[in-house]
Amino acid sequence: MANTQAPFGAVQTGTSSGPVNFASFSNPPFRISSGYGTAIGYGDLVTLVSGASPTGYLQRWVAGSGTATFQVAGVFFGCRYFSTSQKIVRWSNYWPGSDATGDVEAFVCSDPQAQFMIQANSGPITQASIGLTADVVMGTVNTTTGSSGMSLAAPSVSNPATLPFKVLNIVTTPPTANGTDAASAYNNVIVGFNNQINKS
């Protein structure tokens, strides 16, 4: 059965040594500036603001921007902040881009050995791509569910050191589930970090 394009970002499936390790989430949390106006979805790649004016705050990954210094911090899985409008501390699975008084605490999977499932943006991504590196297509955050719209771009060998992910495996189970037809476009694959701040 052909796959349907329905990107969901990067969902952690485990680590190189076994199941999900919740100690792999950043502790203490990273921070987002309350003035950062771009939405960040559950499952989006994030990076630290760098360049001429580094701040130590997170921002959403920009596809095509990977360099030796512009590296992935991790995958965003929610935040906590004081809501200016509601006058309460709010937990949210995504950062809407506004409504915070003070810094936003961001919960990020930053384990360099973490592994994630992600949908191909086109494809199919085949067995021959295992070991190759890839950038992402960021897509649009679903502001109803908070979910990422990020998907995996075609794997490449041209800039392996600067691309954020490495293809580790192809997802083929459960049969008939969307994304498990490895012969069709938009198939699901397992990836790990390639160009990430904690990866030696």
Side-chain angles (χ1 to χ4, degrees):
M1 182 178 71
N3 305 311
T4 300
Q5 187 175 25
F8 48 81
V11 175
Q12 191 180 8
T13 58
T15 67
S16 59
S17 59
V20 174
N21 174 12
F22 290 101
S24 67
F25 286 75
S26 53
N27 186 22
F30 287 97
R31 295 184 180 276
I32 302 168
S33 170
S34 61
Y36 181 66
T38 300
I40 304 174
Y42 183 97
D44 269 348
L45 281 179
V46 287
T47 186
L48 293 171
V49 176
S50 61
S53 302
T55 63
Y57 287 114
L58 285 181
Q59 65 180 21
R60 194 171 186 244
W61 179 260
V62 178
S65 60
T67 65
T69 56
F70 196 87
Q71 299 172 291
V72 169
V75 174
F76 180 86
F77 288 128
C79 59
R80 178 175 62 185
Y81 57 93
F82 186 83
S83 168
T84 305
S85 62
Q86 299 177 41
K87 303 298 188 290
I88 58 170
V89 174
R90 183 182 178 196
W91 294 78
S92 177
N93 67 337
Y94 86 112
W95 164 240
S98 63
D99 193 39
T101 297
D103 289 346
V104 178
E105 291 182 300
F107 302 101
V108 174
C109 179
S110 57
D111 181 353
Q113 303 306 316
Q115 297 181 357
F116 306 88
M117 182 167 69
I118 186 171
Q119 186 176 49
N121 182 63
S122 55
I125 294 176
T126 67
Q127 183 78 17
S129 292
I130 292 177
L132 300 184
T133 57
D135 205 342
V136 293
V137 177
M138 289 307 296
T140 302
V141 177
N142 184 324
T143 57
T144 300
T145 65
S147 295
S148 169
M150 184 179 75
S151 56
L152 194 70
S156 168
V157 294
S158 60
N159 274 318
T162 62
L163 299 177
F165 279 138
K166 179 176 287 188
V167 179
L168 302 177
N169 212 337
I170 308 301
V171 177
T172 57
T173 57
T176 74
N178 188 43
T180 61
D181 182 354
S184 298
Y186 314 126
N187 62 315
N188 294 338
V189 297
I190 302 297
V191 296
F193 288 129
N194 180 56
N195 182 26
Q196 196 253 357
I197 59 174
N198 295 332
K199 199 169 182 69
S200 58

